[in-house]
Amino acid sequence: MVLNSYFQRPQLVVEPWNSNANRARALAAFLTFVYRARGGRGSREVTEADHLAFHHWRRRDAAGPRVSGGTWSQYVSHVNQFYGWAVRQGQIGAVPIPHRLSGPRPGGVPSAARVQADGSGDLRA
């Protein structure tokens, strides 16, 4: 039901079909991995450790798909957007994707140490 609500938002309903298909594939890949490889966890039980295990499998594991950096970035973006939305809706407590410090911003202003619970902020994965 949460996934249906996510895809029924007005801003996604008007998106091109292929954009939403990419979002759906990214979420399906992540949630399927978490369910099958991480003890049957559901979307509300996902942790940073699950995301890091998914990263290892998708990018580094010789038995995994070893996707390109661009493909990985797209997956991270889609999963992060979903979880940011789910946090704002009160469906879950935190975005399970670890976020890193960024370097100084123009003008020498440092970035925040962690991303806000709504998923906004600098993301490097």
Side-chain angles (χ1 to χ4, degrees):
M1 300 255 292
V2 174
L3 283 171
N4 288 340
S5 296
Y6 176 71
F7 282 101
Q8 291 173 350
R9 296 179 306 143
Q11 55 269 53
L12 291 187
V13 170
V14 299
E15 286 286 315
W17 179 89
N18 59 330
S19 295
N20 283 323
N22 286 336
R23 283 182 187 90
R25 275 191 292 275
L27 286 167
F30 179 63
L31 295 174
T32 299
F33 172 84
V34 169
Y35 183 79
R36 289 184 179 167
R38 305 290 290 176
R41 292 181 204 245
S43 62
R44 291 184 174 126
E45 303 162 325
V46 175
T47 66
E48 283 189 11
D50 296 323
H51 171 77
L52 294 172
F54 182 64
H55 175 263
H56 177 76
W57 177 71
R58 293 288 295 178
R59 297 274 293 144
R60 311 264 186 254
D61 190 340
R66 299 181 60 110
V67 299
S68 71
T71 299
W72 172 251
S73 292
Q74 186 178 54
Y75 270 74
V76 170
S77 176
H78 291 316
V79 172
N80 190 58
Q81 287 171 18
F82 167 72
Y83 275 98
W85 171 84
V87 166
R88 290 189 301 278
Q89 298 301 307
Q91 299 290 332
I92 59 169
V95 175
I97 298 173
H99 294 79
R100 300 181 191 160
L101 286 170
S102 66
R105 299 190 186 231
V109 178
S111 64
R114 298 282 296 177
V115 171
Q116 300 298 318
D118 69 359
S120 63
D122 185 74
L123 170 65
R124 295 184 186 175

